Amino acid sequence: MNVTTSTLSLTVADVDASRDFFRTHLGYEVAMAADGFVSLSRGDAAADIVLLRRGSEVLPPEQRDQQAAGLILALTVSGIEAEERRLAEAGAPITMPLREEPWGERLFQLTDPNGIVVQLVEWATPEASTTAETSDTADALNAPVNAPAALNAEDGSDGSDGSDGSDGADLSVTPGAPGSPAVPLAVIAPTDENVTASPNARMTGLAAPSRGSAELSTWTVEMAAGQSGPEHVISREQVWTVTAGALEVSCGAVTEKVEAGRTFVLPPGAVRRIHALRATEAHVAMRADGVASVPGADGTQALPWAR
């Protein structure tokens, strides 16, 4: 299959109202028009749009009473602050102000007179902060992991009097150092401070360099039915175990349905997308230095819940 263009066909109650919205605020032009029909285009990478009046006989009978709803038309732009300012000054109906997600997606939304949601997106490319984050991650991976408080008690029960032959040796360790002793047991409980909520999912960080782990990060993911994460790439292998619900996982050219009780492995560097077929929970494990990127965008983004 060779796709030469993309068109989004929307059935609406008032074709003229949506036509004026897309022309006035988003730079679309009328390519073709007839009674109850208009075709819009921009001449760049944006998808063409066809607006059809609800009840139009050109639609199959079972579709005539349907109306565009529950979808988001996402347009990736540059200079998103200027776009929001321009649209606000023009009186455009901004229904969600500009915000930035933890993974670097910056976005705001408009809603047209027929309820069509248009989302303008720009992906952050924090080259400077990426360098700092990489350094921070490396420091964290090489930082000493202190023994539990019980091992440093002052009552001598830790064997600091030499009774266990340790001669009061410092039990701190540097992960990966030659001849280093085993890392002390760390018990990690999920807390609200380690939760990251997005429009697509809720991530709760568990083990991570900042929370007692030297090499791995683990976290849980909760997704409501119908939620989908953005298409993205992770630099490290990830192992997902679905503990409740079911996911549709697309990785490269392969799409699989993964039910509760099953595990799937996502290879590093592969473009993937996760969609919840129903309310779903999963447990994820990854090397702690993994970072995310988006196809077509520069830069990488650390995963806050995995640091």
Side-chain angles (χ1 to χ4, degrees):
M1 180 174 64
N2 179 35
V3 178
T4 59
T5 189
S6 298
T7 302
L8 181 64
S9 182
L10 303 171
T11 304
V12 297
D14 189 340
V15 168
D16 292 345
S18 285
R19 176 202 63 199
D20 293 345
F21 170 85
F22 280 97
R23 291 186 63 195
T24 301
H25 299 305
L26 298 173
Y28 276 85
E29 297 294 338
V30 175
M32 189 182 304
D35 183 39
F37 161 87
V38 66
S39 175
L40 304 171
S41 66
R42 275 186 45 97
D44 57 10
D48 293 342
I49 296 174
V50 167
L51 299 168
L52 288 173
R53 182 186 299 145
R54 185 178 180 184
S56 173
E57 293 185 358
V58 301
L59 293 167
E62 66 273 13
Q63 297 179 10
R64 292 174 188 171
D65 290 332
Q66 296 180 6
Q67 184 167 318
L71 61 84
I72 296 176
L73 171 61
L75 303 174
T76 301
V77 301
S78 58
I80 197 165
E81 292 96 340
E83 290 297 334
E84 185 191 38
R85 185 165 54 251
R86 173 185 69 81
L87 289 162
E89 292 173 353
I94 297 176
T95 49
M96 187 182 80
L98 182 63
R99 65 195 233 184
E100 182 168 341
E101 302 293 1
W103 52 87
E105 184 182 21
R106 309 177 69 209
L107 67 155
F108 68 94
Q109 292 182 352
L110 321 174
T111 303
D112 98 322
N114 285 294
I116 299 170
V117 176
V118 179
Q119 179 170 291
L120 270 60
V121 178
E122 182 178 43
W123 290 92
T125 56
E127 287 84 358
S129 62
T130 297
T131 302
E133 287 168 354
T134 302
S135 176
D136 289 345
T137 300
D139 291 344
L141 287 172
N142 291 302
V145 178
N146 293 324
L151 296 176
N152 295 309
E154 296 180 354
D155 60 2
S157 60
D158 61 351
S160 60
D161 59 357
S163 59
D164 64 350
S166 67
D167 297 326
D170 184 1
L171 291 179
S172 297
V173 297
T174 300
S180 62
V183 176
L185 174 67
V187 178
I188 302 166
T191 68
D192 291 341
E193 294 178 356
N194 300 323
V195 173
T196 302
S198 77
N200 307 310
R202 174 186 169 95
M203 282 67 64
T204 301
L206 298 174
S210 62
R211 298 186 294 275
S213 173
E215 299 178 351
L216 295 177
S217 292
T218 63
W219 63 92
T220 59
V221 178
E222 300 172 64
M223 301 178 72
Q227 285 187 317
S228 294
E231 192 173 70
H232 64 289
V233 173
I234 300 294
S235 63
R236 294 297 184 188
E237 178 183 81
Q238 289 186 335
V239 178
W240 287 60
T241 297
V242 180
T243 54
L247 294 174
E248 182 180 76
V249 183
S250 297
C251 184
V254 177
T255 298
E256 295 281 356
K257 180 180 178 181
V258 186
E259 300 272 2
R262 296 192 174 187
T263 296
F264 60 94
V265 179
L266 293 172
V271 178
R272 77 284 305 275
R273 187 164 192 172
I274 310 294
H275 172 72
L277 298 172
R278 50 184 180 269
T280 299
E281 297 179 8
H283 184 278
V284 188
M286 178 190 76
R287 247 182 67 163
D289 57 351
V291 294
S293 60
V294 176
D298 296 329
T300 60
Q301 178 73 30
L303 306 180
W305 51 89
R307 297 185 66 187

